[in-house]
Every structure is written in C-alpha cells, then in structure tokens.
Amino acid sequence: MQDIVIDTPTQKSVIHCGKGSFEQFAKGLDGKKLFVVTDSNVYRIYRDLIEKTFKNSPVHVIKAGEASKTYTTLIGILKHMLESGATRAYTVVALGGGVVGDIAGLAASLFMRGVKLIQIPTTLLSQVDSSVGGKTAVDLNNVKNAIGAFYQPGEVIVDPMFLETLPKREIRCGLGEIIKYGALDKEIYTTLCANSDRLFDMEFLESITAPCIQHKANVVAGDEKDLNGLRKTLNLGHTTGHAFELYYKRKSHGEFVLIGTYYELIIAQMQGVCGGEYADNLKMLIGKVIKMPVYDNAQKAALAAKFDKKNDEQSTVSMIVPAKEGRCAEIKMPLDEYVKTIGEIAEEIKEKK
Ligand code: NAD
Ligand code: GLY
C-alpha cells in the first residue's frame, strides 16, 4: 500500500492506494457519521459489502450512467441527506465511478455549506483520475460539467479489488485517461510503450495506477483551481472528446478521451507540434485500446467544442495536444477552422476503413 498526499490551501487530501486499502479504511469507521452515495450497478454487485461496512448509515443509490449526472439527481441526494437527519458532522462517502464521485462530491460541497468527503472509486477511470483533485460537477443543458465546484476529498481509497468486477469496456475507459497521462509524463509513456501488449493485464494496471495519481497530485498541488494553466494540461484530448461525447453519446467518457486524443494528435501533427516516432507510438497505444469509429456528422459534433471551459471565447477553440515526450502544447483555432479540420480527419478515417 502507498499513500499519496495532496496539500492544497483548502484541504489536505490523502490517497491510500493498493490492495487492502478498503479493508483498512473499513476498520476505522466505528462511530463515524456517514452518508453513502453509490449507483445501481455498484449497489447490486457490492450490496453485502456495503451493508457490512456501513451498517446503519443511510445509502443513496442513483441510477447508473452519465444521464444521472444532473441537477435533479443532485437535489435528490441533498433531500435524502436532510430527511435522514444528516448534519454538518456527517461525511459523504462516494462509492462508485466518476459519475457517483462527481455528483456526491458536489452534494458534499453544498450540504450545509460543505461537509467532509471521502471518495472510494470503483472504476479504473475514477481510480486514476476523477476521484483525485476535487473537481465535482453535474451536466446542464447538454453541456458537460457545466455546474460544479472544486471540493477536495479528505481521503481517497483506491483499492484494485473493485476492478475485478469491472467490464472490459470500463477498463478501456480507464486506459483512455492512463494514455492521456502517458502523453503528459515521460516515465508513464515509457512504461506504457514497454508494456503495450499487456495494457489490459490487472497486475499491470495495478502498477500504473499510483504513478498516474502521483502525476495528477503534482499538477493539482500546483494549480488546484485551474488558474495558472498547469491543471488544464489534464484536459489533453478532452476538447474533441467532450464535444463528441455530447453528440454521439453511445460511448463512455474514457473512450471519447481516446478518440479526442487521436483527433487532436493529428491536428498537432498538421501544425508541426508533434510528430515522428513519438506520434506513431501514441497512435499505436490508442490503437491497442480502441478502434477509431467511423463518424458521419463529425463537423456537427465538433461545434459543441465552443462550450469548452478552456476557451476564452466561444469563437476560438483551445486544445491541449501531445508535443514531445513528457510535453504537451496548447493549440488555439478559430471555431470554423477547427470544425472543418475535424470533418476532414473523420473523412480520412472513413476512407481508411
Ligand atoms: P461511471 O461512473 O458511469 O462508471 C462506469 C460504469 O461502471 C457504470 O455503469 C457503473 O455502474 C459501473 N461500475 C462502477 N464500478 C464498478 C465495479 N467495480 N464493477 C462493475 N461495474 C462498476 O463512469 P466512469 O468512467 O467511472 O466516470 C466517468 C465520469 O467521470 C464522467 O462523468 C466524467 O465527466 C467524470 N470525470 C470526472 C473527472 C474529475 O476530475 N472530476 C475526471 C475524469 C472524468
Ligand atoms: N480531469 C481533469 C482535472 O481533474 O483537472
């Protein structure tokens, strides 16, 4: 087991990583006032563990899936907290993937102006990314994460035991964010290339989780509230990823991160920002995890990039793209040029199939 600490001006956050971290956490719960939020899939699979661990604590179960990341679900959690007698002495426990973590985190930040928060991520994506760093949110009007807050968890329990029940597709989603770290961090890139044939291997995934979290912890410690440009590097591939996610919907966030990274890597190559063996290796890693889908209407989908939070104005699209090993770059493009380029890349993918 390994502890990673993020010390920010608002909160010290301790991330306990490794097998046995959940059991260790469960031993120290006696007398704690907890309000547990989970989703319908996690509750179905882990009901016995939840009942044994959290005994008489209220458990709020949201319907699994991104469609639950709404204001209405958020209000449902807050109402349940009030009705079950929760006070400022309570801690919200988010037990689930990124959807549960984002919405329960936002509920914790709002209830009585803020109560303690513990994240227990149960998907690979939430273990390497969303449970760490304090971004919480719900979607609004088809805009992802439009309402949210920075709210650090006091503790994060990252136990690979939860990955044993995770469908392969969800592992793929987690690998989307892991490859993103590879494009930001030379050591992670080297490890991924050296292990490109065992990306889905559980032992490998366990070994790469802490380095990814450590990368994120360093970034968050340097720019907790996304103010000085450091934290937005964690959004590599996400501009196009989020735009496609809103339009095509059929895949999950992590898969769209991979697709977005691929498109933005090609834009980086077109602009001479990235290239050579490095670009080929990143494409190889992406190809090991996902087949690029053929998209009609890619230009229409790309229009949603105007809502990206990195943009200074809606007419200019900002993207964080891979540059060199361990280095990324920001590309800003007029919206119309971006949309046209995305359409061309989609056509090229279609022709190659
Ligand atoms: P998710 O929470 O929807 O989980 C994916 C699926 O796996 C769900 O069906 C869930 O019920 C199921 N599941 C969860 N744990 C399981 C387990 N142990 N065994 C079997 N099934 C399990 O999706 P996700 O990929 O974890 O997270 C995506 C969300 O995270 C998106 O909303 C995205 O915007 C957000 N996100 C937030 C941040 C952040 O910094 N806050 C970063 C990245 C992504
Ligand atoms: N996932 C991006 C961030 O936490 O900033």
Side-chain angles (χ1 to χ4, degrees):
M1 280 195 281
Q2 177 186 351
D3 282 357
I4 295 171
V5 177
I6 310 181
D7 231 335
T8 71
T10 54
Q11 167 88 49
K12 182 174 171 180
S13 201
V14 184
I15 301 130
H16 307 284
C17 302
K19 267 205 180 107
S21 55
F22 183 81
E23 202 181 326
Q24 188 74 23
F25 158 80
K27 278 184 191 153
L29 291 184
D30 271 355
K32 294 224 167 101
K33 294 175 189 302
L34 306 173
F35 185 93
V36 181
V37 182
T38 190
D39 78 20
S40 47
N41 288 337
V42 178
Y43 190 65
R44 179 174 43 76
I45 300 168
Y46 291 102
R47 188 177 183 150
D48 290 349
L49 183 76
I50 291 171
E51 285 175 359
K52 188 173 121 210
T53 308
F54 299 106
K55 299 193 177 81
N56 300 321
S57 304
V59 178
H60 187 91
V61 183
I62 66 171
K63 194 167 168 224
E66 179 76 23
S68 283
K69 227 173 111 174
T70 62
Y71 180 76
T72 314
T73 315
L74 173 71
I75 297 297
I77 296 172
L78 294 169
K79 271 190 181 161
H80 188 176
M81 288 180 77
L82 264 186
E83 285 158 9
S84 62
T87 63
R88 278 183 58 77
Y90 271 64
T91 297
V92 170
V93 176
L95 177 76
V99 167
V100 167
D102 278 14
I103 196 165
L106 186 55
S109 80
L110 292 170
F111 189 74
M112 307 272 173
R113 298 206 181 92
V115 295
K116 284 188 188 141
L117 170 67
I118 295 175
Q119 292 274 4
I120 308 180
T122 62
T123 61
L124 181 60
L125 183 143
S126 56
Q127 295 199 344
V128 295
D129 192 349
S130 63
S131 63
V132 173
K135 276 193 182 173
T136 73
V138 292
D139 305 334
L140 180 71
N141 280 1
N142 209 27
V143 176
K144 257 192 84 74
N145 303 326
I147 316 176
F150 290 95
Y151 200 70
Q152 297 295 339
E155 282 182 279
V156 185
I157 316 297
V158 178
D159 195 322
M161 131 187 127
F162 289 108
L163 305 185
E164 284 163 21
T165 55
L166 208 57
K168 186 168 178 194
R169 181 174 178 196
E170 299 304 335
I171 299 286
R172 188 178 295 142
C173 292
L175 279 164
E177 300 287 1
I178 291 173
I179 291 175
K180 170 194 84 180
Y181 287 116
L184 296 170
D185 184 308
K186 199 170 172 177
E187 266 182 48
I188 296 176
Y189 166 73
T190 308
T191 309
L192 287 172
C193 289
N195 290 278
S196 63
D197 285 332
R198 51 189 295 255
L199 295 180
F200 286 86
D201 179 310
M202 277 301 157
E203 254 177 60
F204 170 69
L205 291 172
E206 238 181 280
S207 70
I208 197 80
T209 297
C212 291
I213 294 173
Q214 186 65 65
H215 179 96
K216 182 159 184 179
N218 297 343
V219 170
V220 172
D223 184 17
E224 183 192 10
K225 301 221 164 143
D226 234 336
L227 294 174
N228 65 23
L230 183 60
R231 186 160 185 168
K232 74 175 169 189
T233 61
L234 295 174
N235 251 296
L236 184 138
H238 282 56
T239 303
T240 306
H242 276 163
F244 280 11
E245 186 173 355
L246 286 168
Y247 189 82
Y248 294 114
K249 290 197 164 74
R250 298 254 292 277
K251 294 189 182 297
S252 304
H253 176 76
E255 294 170 302
F256 282 116
V257 169
L258 282 166
I259 297 165
T261 303
Y262 184 85
Y263 273 71
E264 292 181 11
L265 178 57
I266 292 179
I267 293 178
Q269 284 184 291
M270 288 163 129
Q271 302 230 345
V273 170
C274 186
E277 195 187 350
Y278 178 59
D280 290 343
N281 282 344
L282 286 178
K283 282 187 193 160
M284 175 276 293
L285 289 170
I286 295 170
K288 295 264 178 191
V289 182
I290 196 168
K291 282 198 181 82
M292 258 329 109
V294 170
Y295 281 138
D296 292 319
N297 301 327
Q299 294 205 3
K300 227 174 176 180
L303 269 175
K306 71 179 178 189
F307 296 116
D308 194 276
K309 288 191 278 306
K310 292 185 292 308
N311 302 344
D312 296 326
E313 51 203 32
Q314 291 193 347
S315 57
T316 307
V317 176
S318 157
M319 283 166 278
I320 306 295
V321 300
K324 299 190 171 89
E325 285 182 33
R327 295 271 301 276
C328 59
E330 182 169 20
I331 292 180
K332 292 188 179 187
M333 262 180 145
L335 179 66
D336 52 356
E337 187 187 333
Y338 166 79
V339 166
K340 187 168 160 269
T341 310
I342 292 292
E344 286 164 5
I345 298 171
E347 279 307 307
E348 218 173 278
I349 292 170
K350 198 189 273 183
E351 278 163 23
K352 277 193 195 149
K353 293 266 167 163

